[in-house]
Structure formats: structure tokens, C-alpha cells
Amino acid sequence: MKKLQQLINSIIKYRLAIILVLVVLVFLSAQQTIKKLSVDNSLSIWFLEDDPSYKAYIDFQEEIGSDEIFVAMFPVENAIGDLEKENLLELHEVIDALPYVKRSFSLAKAKYPIYTNTKIKFDDLYNTKRSEKGIKNLLSKLPNISSQLITKDYKNQFFYIQLNPTPAIEAQREAIPREIRQIISKKYSEYHLTGPPVLNEAYSLGIYKESMLFGLLTVLVITLMLLFLLPSKRYLLVSLLSVAIPLALLFGIITSLGFALNMISMLIPTILMVYSVSDAVHIINIYHKEGLKNRNFHKLQLITLSIRKSFIPCFYTTLTTFVGYFALYLSPLPAFKNMGVFTCIGLVLSFLLVYVIAIIGFSFMKLNFQESKPILNLNSFSQTQFVLWLNSFTTRYKTSIIVVFSLVLLYGVYSIFQVKIDTNSLDLLAEGHAKKDLRIVESQLNGSSRIQLSISATKGGKILNREAVSYMEKFQQKLETNPLIASAVSVVDIKSFLEKRTPILFQSAISKEKIESTLASADAKANSFFKLFSDDFTSAGITVSFKEMNTSKLQQLLNEIERDFVKTFPKESYKLKINGFAVVFAQLNRFILETQFKSFFVAFVIGFLCLWIFIRNIRTTLLVLIPNVLPLFVLAILMSLLDITLDVTTAMITPIMLGIAMDDTIHLVYKYKRTKQVKGSPEARMNNAMMYTGTALFSTTIALVGGFLIISSSAVPSVSHFGLLCAVTVLIALITDIFYLPALLKTFDR
């Protein structure tokens, strides 16, 4: 106590110097944040650079071509008219000159094969010297290719822009969509643009806007709540500074280290603000109550007593919350790792600074504790009367309370197995121009995403032979009947076209060498947008197009492709490799499940140990732990009833909520175990603890619920679900703390 008083006295003595240091640090942090704050929602935030899946994906891009492709749709009078072709060619010339573009493709660049003089040569598919009937007839013989170039009614053209491999464009990613739009808009007054780069841009813009909006709304909501919750207006500045300073310093650290916001870390400001204000409210509540009780204490004694009484419970609440977030570091996804690490840094900053700010703030105050009152007050509601009723209720009906809450817990255990794991990429995107364009393009094209199937012989060697092509024909027929696939383009389409025009070319009497040389020449550079073969002809490619879909359907599609391959090709002779970001994205379900199990297990075990060390009684610890896991089971019930899936945003909810749920419990149990004025039954001790901490419990819960409800207002469905679920879980955590926990302790803690 004496050493603590000396430390507090030193802080008060040098308070002006400390204030100056904090002002300078906040100024530098704010300057750094304004200069360097950016948004990064690229592939790298989801996969580590040394991850085998990420490496395989980058290798595929280098070899076959990036699947980061812009898809533009141009409404036109006549998709096969002269003017329309000229416009496309002029656009190609400008786009192909861009340093980050690998290639562009459209009907104006498409070629078709002609067999003449024992060789294949290629001519323009879009030849305006031909009659309109002739062009339409030619297009009808290449249905899989032509459907990717124009719509059936000839009223829309499609234009593709393939970017260089992902690592080569990361530095320019933010500027690329803007420049592409500027170029297109000079040629076309009306167009629709979509594809992974456009969606990525929309994610990033949405994140930036919402993170700024969330921050502003959180400050406003917290301020409004504090006007009701704080016992005096003089505490308002202390509370707000406890929120603002740690957050400013944290973002200075984040930007200084070169990190950017993403759809996960955008939640840090709101989460950290509501956490900071919760600790501040607890400290202020204790300081004010001790001020009312100890009227003869001078200020230093009162501050010291308040800090001593608040430090241990606040330390353990910070620790359990810290553990909940740090458990995210066990996730295989870098976005979650960064979220966990930086939130933990923010929690430590908040914990340390809230005491420094509170001590300095209290030292300046001249407050009459008896006469002070909140700035705003609900005269019709008395917290004291409510706590008295609560104590009476949990004593009289403790058995009924235990039965009801235990039944809910059992139903929650069942509900865990009903929660689906799925990520819908469209749920990560707010309604807006990008989402609208995606729907319009996919309604005409049926697919804006693609994967590349690579088929090779298990023993190596060239894939160009009659047997392999025969298997590919059967395989592609199966692919084309799959309702999830928009189109499949391969050498089979070229072979089918040549067979119709030159039937003798692939007859059984034709030599193997002749077939091989014919097929090899079909892989012309002019048609390289659809990669038919690897450069050494050891593998054949099939480009599969499909609509944006959730990860469960995506995994279903990949499974069906592999199943059809095994049914068609002899597995001992041929192998299949599926390439593209869709393959990586489909693994999110596995990563989400892994994140849940690892992070929750670690958070649960360490949380249990923290409670055990804090309470020092195994029986009481187990009784206290039950109400803290109940909110998570209620969370499972809500997710199953509302059909909310466990996705990339909600995947981190259980360890976070476990840490936060323990906060109010620790404050309540601390007073329950440490009460010295009350000796006797658990009922009396719990009633006294509830009377002492009840106000702070309600206040912090309101702050947390308010903060998470702000997140639930997000225009991004996935983020909105996260905010709503967190708000409800925090509210349930309070309900279990004030009903279920007292009932358990009053009944069994003898």
C-alpha cells in the first residue's frame, strides 16, 4: 500500500511532464496515421507467404496466367458490327500498353482454326468482311468460347483484362481499377465492370469508410452513454481520454510498422474503445463509491485505495480479454494473427494508460461526492432498487433459475452441431456499384470467376495423344452438365470445331504424329487467354468459368470436378491439378474450423487457469466458469436459429466473447470473495458484491453492447452479423452474471 501510494504520488508530482509526453506521442501517432493509414484486402492477408497453397497459387499464376481478371460488359447496338469491333481494338491497344496488364481478350482478338495445306492457321473470329449470317454461324460452332465473348442476343460484348501475377501488382493494386475505369469510360459511356480486382477494391473502400464511420459513431455513442452512466460530469474527460489516447498510440504503432487495415482489423478501433471505457467506468465507479464512504480521506489516500481495489479485477479482466484475442494468433490466417496481436497491444496500452490518466484526472478534480450526479438521468429507473430486487429474486428462485439456465446450456450444446461453416464472398461486400455490376454481368455471362484444370500423365511425357484427348472429351461433357459451371474451354472445343469442318482430320487412319502436331498448333498465342497446354505439352488445360459462390458450394464444385475426373480417367495413368484463387478460397472453411478449435481451446484453458489463480478454490472456479461458457452456447443457438454461418468474420467470435464474458464475472467475484465487512452466508456476500459492483456491470455492458451494435450497422452482411452476435452475447453474459452466477454460488458455494 505504501509503495503504491509513493508511485501514485510520483505520477501526480510529474503529471505535467507526463501530459506533455502523451500529447507529443499522440501528435506523432496521429501524423503517422494520417500519412500512412491504408487498406489492404489482398490475398496476402489470408495466407502466409510460405504457405504451400499460396506458393502453389503464385506458381500457377507465373506459369499459366493470373486469375485476377477484370471482366467488362459493354451494352452495344450490334455485338458483331464494324464500329463495335473498331472500339474494341482501340481499347485493346491502350489496355495492352499498361505495365501491369498481362493480356486482354475479347471477340476482336479471338481466333478460330483453319486446316489447310496439312497445317493449322488462325483467322479472326470477328471478321466484319464476312456476312452477319456467316459470323453468327461461325460463332455457333464454338459455343463455349463465343458465350464468353458476346451474349446470345448480340446486345453485349465482354472484354477481359488479365493482370500480371499477384506479387507484381500489389504495390499498384489501389490505383489499377481507377485507371482501368478512366480508360474504358473514354470509349464507352455505359459499361459494367467486375472481377476479383474490382471486388477487392470495393472491399477496401468499404472497410476504410466504415472504419472511419464506426470510430466516429462509437465516440458519439460512448459520450452519450457516459452522460447517463458517470456519477459526475467531471469524470467525462477522464473517460474519453482513456479511450482516445491508447487508440491513437496503437494506430501510430500499426502504421509505423507498415501494416494496413483489412476487413478483420477494421473492428479494432470500436472494440478497443468500448474496452477502454469499460475499465475507466470501473475505476471511476470504485473511486466515487470510496469517496462517498471515506469522507475523511485526503485525495492521495482516496486515489490509492481506489487503484488498489480496482487493480486486481481490472488486471484479470484485461488478462482474460488479452487471452481471448491472443488466441487468434493460433489461426492459420494472417488477418486473424494481426488482429489478435494488435488488439493485444492495444489492450496493454489501454490497461496501463487508463490508470495513469485516471490518477492524473482525479488529482485535478475538486469534487463533492455527496452532491454530484450524472449530467443526464433516468428518473424512472433506480439502479439501487433494481439490484435490491435482483438480490431478492436470485435468493428466492435460485433453484428455478439454475434449472432454466442449465436447460438453455444443454440446448446450446446441441445447437453447436447445427451451426454451418461457410463464407459467402458476396456477404463480405456491401450493396453498391460493385455488387450491382457483378450481378448484371453474371446474369448475362453466368460466371465471372474461373479455375484452371491441368491434366497430365502420371509417368510424365506429352499429353498430346488420341487416348488422352478422348478422355478429355468425356470429361468435358461431364463438366458442361454441372449446374455450377458456366462454361469449360479446352482443346476439345478446337478439335470439335475442326472435326465439323474437316472430318477426315481425326479419323482412325490418321497417324498419331499427325494428330499430335495438329493439336499442338491449336495452342496459338492469339488464344492464350484460354491456356490449352503447358509450354512443354506435358499437361492439357481446361478453363472453367463459374459464378461467385460461397465456400461450401465452391468445395462442392471442386469435389464434383475431382469425382468426374476419377470416373473418366484411369487414375494410375493420369492426374488432375486444380489451380486458381478459388481453390485457396475454398480452404477457408478448414481454416475457420481450425481457428475455432485452436483459439477457443487455448482461450478456455488459460481463462480457466486465470480464474483458478484469481479465486484460489477449484469448486468456486468451476461454478464461476459455467455462466461464462453459457453465452457461447446461446451464441450457437442464435446462429443456428437465424441461419448465420461461421465465416471469416464470425470465426473469431468465440475466443473474443469468452474473454469479454469473464470481465464482469471477475469484478463481481472479486468483491464476493474479498468482502470483509460481511461474514456469513454466500447469499449475504453475493448480495453485498452485487450492490457494490452492479452499477459498473450495467455501465460496462451498455458500453460494450452499444459498441457492437455500431458494428452491426455495417452495410457488409458478414460484419453486421459479427456485431449483432457480439452485442447479444455480451448482453447474455450480463444476464448470466446477475442471475445464473448468483444462483449457483448461493446454492453450491458452501
Side-chain angles (χ1 to χ4, degrees), residues 151-190:
T151 52
K152 290 181 180 179
D153 60 2
Y154 297 93
K155 294 297 182 183
N156 296 282
Q157 296 173 325
F158 297 107
F159 189 95
Y160 302 88
I161 304 168
Q162 186 177 38
L163 301 180
N164 289 326
T166 298
I169 65 167
E170 290 294 5
Q172 302 165 281
R173 182 178 291 279
E174 190 177 336
I176 290 173
R178 185 168 58 249
E179 187 171 2
I180 294 293
R181 284 194 186 89
Q182 288 173 351
I183 292 170
I184 291 176
S185 61
K186 289 178 181 178
K187 185 60 62 178
Y188 295 90
S189 58
E190 182 184 358

Side-chain angles (χ1 to χ4, degrees), residues 437-483:
D437 273 356
L438 174 65
R439 290 187 180 122
I440 292 172
V441 171
E442 289 201 332
S443 69
Q444 299 294 329
L445 185 60
N446 291 324
S448 60
S449 299
R450 73 177 196 169
I451 52 177
Q452 186 80 9
L453 311 184
S454 180
I455 301 166
S456 58
T458 53
K459 295 180 180 179
K462 293 186 177 182
I463 196 73
L464 296 171
N465 59 71
R466 193 190 302 273
E467 178 193 60
V469 173
S470 175
Y471 285 134
M472 281 190 67
E473 287 180 297
K474 295 175 184 177
F475 182 45
Q476 185 160 325
Q477 286 173 4
K478 290 179 180 178
L479 293 177
E480 289 170 355
T481 60
N482 191 318

Side-chain angles (χ1 to χ4, degrees), residues 293-570:
K293 286 170 57 179
N294 302 286
R295 300 183 184 184
N296 298 324
F297 277 29
H298 57 74
K299 186 167 289 186
L300 181 59
Q301 286 178 304
L302 187 58
I303 294 174
T304 304
L305 180 63
S306 303
I307 298 303
R308 183 177 65 80
K309 285 198 170 187
S310 66
F311 186 83
I312 292 177
C314 283
F315 171 77
Y316 276 97
T317 57
T318 300
L319 183 59
T320 53
T321 307
F322 182 97
V323 168
Y325 281 100
F326 192 75
L328 294 176
Y329 188 76
L330 298 174
S331 170
L333 302 179
F336 286 167
K337 288 178 182 289
N338 294 341
M339 171 73 173
V341 170
F342 285 120
T343 306
C344 286
I345 293 172
L347 290 173
V348 173
L349 284 173
S350 294
F351 176 71
L352 296 175
L353 289 174
V354 73
Y355 277 100
V356 174
I357 294 166
I359 290 167
I360 294 173
F362 294 158
S363 70
F364 280 110
M365 284 184 195
K366 292 181 180 179
L367 187 64
N368 187 325
F369 293 100
Q370 285 71 36
E371 295 181 4
S372 63
K373 59 181 180 179
I375 301 173
L376 301 176
N377 197 11
L378 295 173
N379 294 322
S380 60
F381 178 75
S382 169
Q383 288 190 17
T384 302
Q385 290 300 316
F386 178 72
V387 172
L388 288 172
W389 171 84
L390 195 62
N391 288 337
S392 173
F393 186 85
T394 54
T395 300
R396 290 178 60 191
Y397 302 104
K398 53 180 179 277
T399 303
S400 300
I401 292 170
I402 291 171
V403 170
V404 171
F405 277 83
S406 298
L407 288 174
V408 172
L409 192 150
L410 290 174
Y411 181 58
V413 173
Y414 163 77
S415 298
I416 288 175
F417 300 98
Q418 309 305 311
V419 176
K420 300 172 186 174
I421 302 173
D422 206 1
T423 297
N424 189 338
S425 58
L426 294 183
D427 281 346
L428 305 177
L429 190 64
E431 289 294 335
H433 199 67
K435 208 167 186 177
K436 181 181 176 183
D437 273 356
L438 174 65
R439 290 187 180 122
I440 292 172
V441 171
E442 289 201 332
S443 69
Q444 299 294 329
L445 185 60
N446 291 324
S448 60
S449 299
R450 73 177 196 169
I451 52 177
Q452 186 80 9
L453 311 184
S454 180
I455 301 166
S456 58
T458 53
K459 295 180 180 179
K462 293 186 177 182
I463 196 73
L464 296 171
N465 59 71
R466 193 190 302 273
E467 178 193 60
V469 173
S470 175
Y471 285 134
M472 281 190 67
E473 287 180 297
K474 295 175 184 177
F475 182 45
Q476 185 160 325
Q477 286 173 4
K478 290 179 180 178
L479 293 177
E480 289 170 355
T481 60
N482 191 318
L484 297 176
I485 293 176
S487 71
V489 177
S490 73
V491 71
V492 169
D493 296 281
I494 304 298
K495 178 179 177 290
S496 175
F497 179 80
L498 289 170
E499 275 184 319
K500 291 174 184 176
R501 295 175 67 94
T502 315
I504 195 173
L505 188 58
F506 293 98
Q507 290 183 0
S508 57
I510 303 299
S511 68
K512 173 186 172 184
E513 291 75 15
K514 181 66 176 175
I515 291 175
E516 288 180 5
S517 63
T518 301
L519 293 176
S521 60
D523 193 37
K525 287 186 178 180
N527 278 335
S528 58
F529 184 71
F530 299 108
K531 189 68 175 174
L532 305 182
F533 298 105
S534 61
D535 293 339
D536 58 2
F537 297 103
T538 57
S539 65
I542 302 178
T543 302
V544 174
S545 299
F546 53 90
K547 287 185 176 182
E548 284 285 324
M549 60 181 71
N550 53 32
T551 48
S552 60
K553 275 194 175 182
L554 197 50
Q555 190 59 60
Q556 176 190 335
L557 172 61
L558 298 178
N559 292 340
E560 288 174 356
I561 289 173
E562 290 178 344
R563 181 200 64 199
D564 289 341
F565 178 81
V566 171
K567 286 183 178 179
T568 308
F569 286 82

